[in-house]
Amino acid sequence: MGSGVNLPALRGHNDALVLHLLRGAGPVGLGRGDLADRTGLTPQAVGKITARLRDEGLVADAGREASTGGKPRTLLRLVREARHAVGLHLDRDEATAVRVDLAGRAVARWRGPLDFGAGPEAVLEEAVRAVARVRGDRPLLGVGVAAPGPLDWRSGVLGRVTGYPQWEGFPLREALEGRLGIPVRVDKDTNAGVAAATLPGVGSEGADSEGAVAYVHVGTGLGAGLRLLGGGEVYRGRRSAAGEFGHQVLRLDGPPCRCGGYGCAEVLCLDAVAAGRPQEAARIVGEAAANLVALLDVDRVLLGGRVVAAAPEMFVEGVRAVLAARSVALAGGEGEGEGVRVELARVGVAEGAAELVLAPLFGRGG
Ligand SMILES: [Zn+2]
């Protein structure tokens, strides 16, 4: 049963619900009867909503379903190319920009060097140029930006980013909106990563059909994004501080980390990578991920980021091996490690950043 509400005041909610279902259905589409069943709305209400969405160019006929006698049903689909958004991943040393359609699929992409340490003004200039490279002359719903945390995703103000003190307190969202003149949303790179990994029809089965997902990013830093409930929102915490995965201490009195602590997963992992020992780095990521699985009963661990992309099989196998070895100690006992799926993330952080802008159209907060 769906969560549609048959009240005129909630028109926006119901429109979003219908769009969400059509997005999940892909090019095949859905009939009005299916939409009524799944939303719990009356067929009349669904008819009004789909007529309105068709007028706005968001919905079109997908064709007719074969029928055994009776009237064939017209199927409706989301018009993917009806609107576009841009996602921008500002990493510490490179920028990636993508223009995506309503399904969240990249239709244009650009990547180039970036010096995050050059400070807000220089990076803003680069961000504006990167958006221009992918948008063409198209109107955009907005721009979603993924940046290193910590940051406040509601206000888009950056926190004390480790190693980049000049960014503390900078209102990235407001500043970029001022330059671009369109809506901007900002989130941590790892949160954008988990949003991308659970895009309906792209990540895998989609956010609605799975349990808790952790996206682990191994790049210029080590972090994680969390989606703890199937179909739920990215878990950010009240202070946007969730997912500071890289700074869990794995070795007391270990080497100093740039966060000021010692023996953090991030410094151990990045040291191993720098020393040319990716297998050891994978094992460290595995130990850190096993802590997360034990703590939160995560169902699926997705791995992404440049370091993973350089040796994908090694990271997937390395993390799997640690989870399997530690399974006895995990809640639930035998077989626990095998129950946790470890996979490569198939969609990038920049696509997840664009999803920050698209999600509200489908009634999701991101
Ligand atoms: Zn640290």
Side-chain angles (χ1 to χ4, degrees), residues 92-122:
R92 292 165 180 84
D93 60 0
E94 70 175 10
T96 306
V98 292
R99 174 159 55 87
V100 301
D101 63 17
L102 286 179
R105 286 157 214 256
V107 289
R109 180 186 299 275
W110 175 84
R111 185 189 300 248
L114 179 80
D115 179 8
F116 199 72
E121 281 309 313

mmCIF file of all heavy atoms in Angstrom, residues 92-122:
data_model
loop_
_atom_site.group_PDB
_atom_site.id
_atom_site.type_symbol
_atom_site.label_atom_id
_atom_site.label_comp_id
_atom_site.label_asym_id
_atom_site.label_seq_id
_atom_site.Cartn_x
_atom_site.Cartn_y
_atom_site.Cartn_z
ATOM 1 N N ARG A 92 39.948 17.306 -3.263
ATOM 2 C CA ARG A 92 41.068 18.137 -2.813
ATOM 3 C C ARG A 92 42.001 18.507 -3.963
ATOM 4 O O ARG A 92 42.660 19.534 -3.921
ATOM 5 C CB ARG A 92 41.829 17.420 -1.702
ATOM 6 C CG ARG A 92 40.999 17.303 -0.406
ATOM 7 C CD ARG A 92 41.607 16.285 0.533
ATOM 8 N NE ARG A 92 40.842 16.138 1.772
ATOM 9 C CZ ARG A 92 39.771 15.361 1.915
ATOM 10 N NH1 ARG A 92 39.305 14.673 0.879
ATOM 11 N NH2 ARG A 92 39.151 15.259 3.064
ATOM 12 N N ASP A 93 42.069 17.671 -5.003
ATOM 13 C CA ASP A 93 42.996 17.961 -6.101
ATOM 14 C C ASP A 93 42.378 17.853 -7.492
ATOM 15 O O ASP A 93 43.078 18.002 -8.482
ATOM 16 C CB ASP A 93 44.230 17.045 -6.011
ATOM 17 C CG ASP A 93 43.846 15.577 -6.083
ATOM 18 O OD1 ASP A 93 42.631 15.285 -6.210
ATOM 19 O OD2 ASP A 93 44.742 14.729 -6.004
ATOM 20 N N GLU A 94 41.076 17.582 -7.563
ATOM 21 C CA GLU A 94 40.443 17.581 -8.881
ATOM 22 C C GLU A 94 38.947 17.871 -8.755
ATOM 23 O O GLU A 94 38.355 17.677 -7.695
ATOM 24 C CB GLU A 94 40.676 16.264 -9.636
ATOM 25 C CG GLU A 94 39.948 15.083 -9.066
ATOM 26 C CD GLU A 94 40.124 13.816 -9.918
ATOM 27 O OE1 GLU A 94 40.963 13.804 -10.839
ATOM 28 O OE2 GLU A 94 39.409 12.852 -9.639
ATOM 29 N N ALA A 95 38.390 18.354 -9.863
ATOM 30 C CA ALA A 95 36.960 18.633 -9.905
ATOM 31 C C ALA A 95 36.322 17.761 -10.982
ATOM 32 O O ALA A 95 36.926 17.523 -12.036
ATOM 33 C CB ALA A 95 36.715 20.105 -10.224
ATOM 34 N N THR A 96 35.112 17.267 -10.700
ATOM 35 C CA THR A 96 34.337 16.518 -11.693
ATOM 36 C C THR A 96 32.967 17.163 -11.786
ATOM 37 O O THR A 96 32.335 17.420 -10.764
ATOM 38 C CB THR A 96 34.173 15.042 -11.283
ATOM 39 O OG1 THR A 96 35.454 14.489 -11.028
ATOM 40 C CG2 THR A 96 33.468 14.238 -12.365
ATOM 41 N N ALA A 97 32.519 17.452 -13.004
ATOM 42 C CA ALA A 97 31.185 18.011 -13.200
ATOM 43 C C ALA A 97 30.415 17.087 -14.131
ATOM 44 O O ALA A 97 30.973 16.584 -15.114
ATOM 45 C CB ALA A 97 31.272 19.406 -13.805
ATOM 46 N N VAL A 98 29.144 16.839 -13.811
ATOM 47 C CA VAL A 98 28.282 16.055 -14.700
ATOM 48 C C VAL A 98 26.945 16.778 -14.856
ATOM 49 O O VAL A 98 26.468 17.425 -13.931
ATOM 50 C CB VAL A 98 27.982 14.623 -14.181
ATOM 51 C CG1 VAL A 98 29.206 13.753 -14.184
ATOM 52 C CG2 VAL A 98 27.344 14.646 -12.799
ATOM 53 N N ARG A 99 26.389 16.697 -16.055
ATOM 54 C CA ARG A 99 24.993 17.103 -16.238
ATOM 55 C C ARG A 99 24.191 15.825 -16.300
ATOM 56 O O ARG A 99 24.563 14.898 -17.032
ATOM 57 C CB ARG A 99 24.825 17.932 -17.515
ATOM 58 C CG ARG A 99 23.359 18.266 -17.827
ATOM 59 C CD ARG A 99 23.235 19.476 -18.765
ATOM 60 N NE ARG A 99 23.989 19.317 -19.994
ATOM 61 C CZ ARG A 99 23.521 18.721 -21.101
ATOM 62 N NH1 ARG A 99 22.312 18.217 -21.110
ATOM 63 N NH2 ARG A 99 24.269 18.634 -22.176
ATOM 64 N N VAL A 100 23.116 15.753 -15.520
ATOM 65 C CA VAL A 100 22.317 14.530 -15.486
ATOM 66 C C VAL A 100 20.888 14.825 -15.929
ATOM 67 O O VAL A 100 20.419 15.957 -15.832
ATOM 68 C CB VAL A 100 22.280 13.896 -14.067
ATOM 69 C CG1 VAL A 100 23.679 13.557 -13.573
ATOM 70 C CG2 VAL A 100 21.563 14.782 -13.073
ATOM 71 N N ASP A 101 20.216 13.758 -16.413
ATOM 72 C CA ASP A 101 18.796 13.875 -16.742
ATOM 73 C C ASP A 101 17.971 13.521 -15.498
ATOM 74 O O ASP A 101 18.535 13.294 -14.425
ATOM 75 C CB ASP A 101 18.451 13.009 -17.953
ATOM 76 C CG ASP A 101 18.661 11.515 -17.707
ATOM 77 O OD1 ASP A 101 18.755 11.099 -16.531
ATOM 78 O OD2 ASP A 101 18.736 10.755 -18.699
ATOM 79 N N LEU A 102 16.657 13.444 -15.633
ATOM 80 C CA LEU A 102 15.791 13.206 -14.477
ATOM 81 C C LEU A 102 15.971 11.810 -13.874
ATOM 82 O O LEU A 102 15.628 11.581 -12.725
ATOM 83 C CB LEU A 102 14.317 13.428 -14.839
ATOM 84 C CG LEU A 102 13.891 14.883 -15.008
ATOM 85 C CD1 LEU A 102 12.422 14.958 -15.387
ATOM 86 C CD2 LEU A 102 14.152 15.687 -13.733
ATOM 87 N N ALA A 103 16.513 10.888 -14.654
ATOM 88 C CA ALA A 103 16.780 9.554 -14.111
ATOM 89 C C ALA A 103 18.087 9.546 -13.314
ATOM 90 O O ALA A 103 18.436 8.550 -12.694
ATOM 91 C CB ALA A 103 16.847 8.531 -15.242
ATOM 92 N N GLY A 104 18.815 10.654 -13.346
ATOM 93 C CA GLY A 104 20.091 10.722 -12.630
ATOM 94 C C GLY A 104 21.263 10.225 -13.448
ATOM 95 O O GLY A 104 22.360 10.049 -12.923
ATOM 96 N N ARG A 105 21.039 9.993 -14.745
ATOM 97 C CA ARG A 105 22.116 9.496 -15.610
ATOM 98 C C ARG A 105 22.895 10.640 -16.226
ATOM 99 O O ARG A 105 22.305 11.610 -16.699
ATOM 100 C CB ARG A 105 21.543 8.639 -16.744
ATOM 101 C CG ARG A 105 21.080 7.287 -16.275
ATOM 102 C CD ARG A 105 20.060 6.719 -17.229
ATOM 103 N NE ARG A 105 19.091 5.950 -16.467
ATOM 104 C CZ ARG A 105 19.079 4.624 -16.438
ATOM 105 N NH1 ARG A 105 19.915 3.933 -17.145
ATOM 106 N NH2 ARG A 105 18.191 3.990 -15.697
ATOM 107 N N ALA A 106 24.225 10.480 -16.231
ATOM 108 C CA ALA A 106 25.079 11.541 -16.766
ATOM 109 C C ALA A 106 24.921 11.626 -18.276
ATOM 110 O O ALA A 106 24.990 10.615 -18.974
ATOM 111 C CB ALA A 106 26.527 11.261 -16.401
ATOM 112 N N VAL A 107 24.700 12.838 -18.802
ATOM 113 C CA VAL A 107 24.639 13.041 -20.254
ATOM 114 C C VAL A 107 25.807 13.905 -20.727
ATOM 115 O O VAL A 107 26.039 14.041 -21.922
ATOM 116 C CB VAL A 107 23.287 13.644 -20.695
ATOM 117 C CG1 VAL A 107 22.174 12.626 -20.554
ATOM 118 C CG2 VAL A 107 22.933 14.902 -19.913
ATOM 119 N N ALA A 108 26.538 14.515 -19.793
ATOM 120 C CA ALA A 108 27.762 15.258 -20.127
ATOM 121 C C ALA A 108 28.666 15.207 -18.899
ATOM 122 O O ALA A 108 28.179 15.194 -17.769
ATOM 123 C CB ALA A 108 27.440 16.707 -20.478
ATOM 124 N N ARG A 109 29.975 15.139 -19.150
ATOM 125 C CA ARG A 109 30.901 14.993 -18.028
ATOM 126 C C ARG A 109 32.203 15.721 -18.322
ATOM 127 O O ARG A 109 32.668 15.750 -19.469
ATOM 128 C CB ARG A 109 31.197 13.494 -17.810
ATOM 129 C CG ARG A 109 32.151 13.180 -16.660
ATOM 130 C CD ARG A 109 32.485 11.690 -16.644
ATOM 131 N NE ARG A 109 31.293 10.884 -16.458
ATOM 132 C CZ ARG A 109 30.779 10.604 -15.252
ATOM 133 N NH1 ARG A 109 31.353 11.026 -14.165
ATOM 134 N NH2 ARG A 109 29.685 9.880 -15.169
ATOM 135 N N TRP A 110 32.778 16.323 -17.290
ATOM 136 C CA TRP A 110 34.082 16.972 -17.420
ATOM 137 C C TRP A 110 34.871 16.737 -16.135
ATOM 138 O O TRP A 110 34.311 16.706 -15.032
ATOM 139 C CB TRP A 110 33.919 18.478 -17.648
ATOM 140 C CG TRP A 110 35.235 19.201 -17.660
ATOM 141 C CD1 TRP A 110 36.085 19.346 -18.714
ATOM 142 C CD2 TRP A 110 35.867 19.834 -16.546
ATOM 143 N NE1 TRP A 110 37.204 20.041 -18.324
ATOM 144 C CE2 TRP A 110 37.102 20.353 -17.003
ATOM 145 C CE3 TRP A 110 35.512 20.012 -15.197
ATOM 146 C CZ2 TRP A 110 37.984 21.045 -16.160
ATOM 147 C CZ3 TRP A 110 36.387 20.696 -14.363
ATOM 148 C CH2 TRP A 110 37.607 21.208 -14.850
ATOM 149 N N ARG A 111 36.165 16.546 -16.293
ATOM 150 C CA ARG A 111 37.015 16.365 -15.116
ATOM 151 C C ARG A 111 38.311 17.137 -15.328
ATOM 152 O O ARG A 111 38.853 17.152 -16.443
ATOM 153 C CB ARG A 111 37.328 14.875 -14.939
ATOM 154 C CG ARG A 111 38.115 14.533 -13.683
ATOM 155 C CD ARG A 111 38.543 13.073 -13.732
ATOM 156 N NE ARG A 111 37.385 12.192 -13.820
ATOM 157 C CZ ARG A 111 37.007 11.374 -12.845
ATOM 158 N NH1 ARG A 111 37.673 11.305 -11.735
ATOM 159 N NH2 ARG A 111 35.954 10.605 -13.014
ATOM 160 N N GLY A 112 38.809 17.801 -14.301
ATOM 161 C CA GLY A 112 40.055 18.552 -14.431
ATOM 162 C C GLY A 112 40.690 18.790 -13.076
ATOM 163 O O GLY A 112 40.080 18.513 -12.037
ATOM 164 N N PRO A 113 41.914 19.299 -13.082
ATOM 165 C CA PRO A 113 42.615 19.513 -11.813
ATOM 166 C C PRO A 113 41.996 20.652 -10.997
ATOM 167 O O PRO A 113 41.402 21.576 -11.557
ATOM 168 C CB PRO A 113 44.039 19.877 -12.253
ATOM 169 C CG PRO A 113 43.912 20.361 -13.648
ATOM 170 C CD PRO A 113 42.724 19.683 -14.247
ATOM 171 N N LEU A 114 42.133 20.554 -9.689
ATOM 172 C CA LEU A 114 41.628 21.590 -8.781
ATOM 173 C C LEU A 114 42.558 21.639 -7.583
ATOM 174 O O LEU A 114 43.016 20.607 -7.110
ATOM 175 C CB LEU A 114 40.207 21.225 -8.321
ATOM 176 C CG LEU A 114 39.551 22.208 -7.335
ATOM 177 C CD1 LEU A 114 39.005 23.415 -8.088
ATOM 178 C CD2 LEU A 114 38.412 21.539 -6.564
ATOM 179 N N ASP A 115 42.826 22.841 -7.105
ATOM 180 C CA ASP A 115 43.592 22.980 -5.868
ATOM 181 C C ASP A 115 42.651 23.517 -4.797
ATOM 182 O O ASP A 115 42.438 24.714 -4.692
ATOM 183 C CB ASP A 115 44.784 23.930 -6.097
ATOM 184 C CG ASP A 115 45.593 24.127 -4.816
ATOM 185 O OD1 ASP A 115 45.320 23.420 -3.821
ATOM 186 O OD2 ASP A 115 46.477 24.998 -4.819
ATOM 187 N N PHE A 116 42.079 22.603 -4.007
ATOM 188 C CA PHE A 116 41.124 23.000 -2.967
ATOM 189 C C PHE A 116 41.799 23.936 -1.958
ATOM 190 O O PHE A 116 41.165 24.800 -1.370
ATOM 191 C CB PHE A 116 40.572 21.750 -2.270
ATOM 192 C CG PHE A 116 39.293 21.995 -1.519
ATOM 193 C CD1 PHE A 116 38.103 22.217 -2.194
ATOM 194 C CD2 PHE A 116 39.283 21.998 -0.121
ATOM 195 C CE1 PHE A 116 36.919 22.450 -1.495
ATOM 196 C CE2 PHE A 116 38.099 22.223 0.577
ATOM 197 C CZ PHE A 116 36.918 22.450 -0.106
ATOM 198 N N GLY A 117 43.114 23.758 -1.807
ATOM 199 C CA GLY A 117 43.881 24.571 -0.866
ATOM 200 C C GLY A 117 44.080 26.005 -1.341
ATOM 201 O O GLY A 117 44.538 26.860 -0.581
ATOM 202 N N ALA A 118 43.739 26.299 -2.601
ATOM 203 C CA ALA A 118 43.880 27.673 -3.102
ATOM 204 C C ALA A 118 42.846 28.595 -2.466
ATOM 205 O O ALA A 118 42.917 29.813 -2.618
ATOM 206 C CB ALA A 118 43.746 27.697 -4.624
ATOM 207 N N GLY A 119 41.868 28.005 -1.783
ATOM 208 C CA GLY A 119 40.908 28.812 -1.030
ATOM 209 C C GLY A 119 39.623 29.080 -1.775
ATOM 210 O O GLY A 119 39.502 28.820 -2.978
ATOM 211 N N PRO A 120 38.619 29.600 -1.042
ATOM 212 C CA PRO A 120 37.266 29.747 -1.582
ATOM 213 C C PRO A 120 37.170 30.540 -2.884
ATOM 214 O O PRO A 120 36.485 30.094 -3.808
ATOM 215 C CB PRO A 120 36.524 30.461 -0.457
ATOM 216 C CG PRO A 120 37.249 30.078 0.787
ATOM 217 C CD PRO A 120 38.688 29.952 0.392
ATOM 218 N N GLU A 121 37.817 31.686 -2.988
ATOM 219 C CA GLU A 121 37.611 32.517 -4.177
ATOM 220 C C GLU A 121 38.071 31.810 -5.452
ATOM 221 O O GLU A 121 37.359 31.768 -6.449
ATOM 222 C CB GLU A 121 38.338 33.866 -4.020
ATOM 223 C CG GLU A 121 37.576 34.854 -3.147
ATOM 224 C CD GLU A 121 36.110 35.044 -3.564
ATOM 225 O OE1 GLU A 121 35.843 35.221 -4.766
ATOM 226 O OE2 GLU A 121 35.232 34.978 -2.672
ATOM 227 N N ALA A 122 39.287 31.259 -5.400
ATOM 228 C CA ALA A 122 39.828 30.570 -6.572
ATOM 229 C C ALA A 122 38.992 29.346 -6.932
ATOM 230 O O ALA A 122 38.730 29.078 -8.112
ATOM 231 C CB ALA A 122 41.274 30.161 -6.305
#
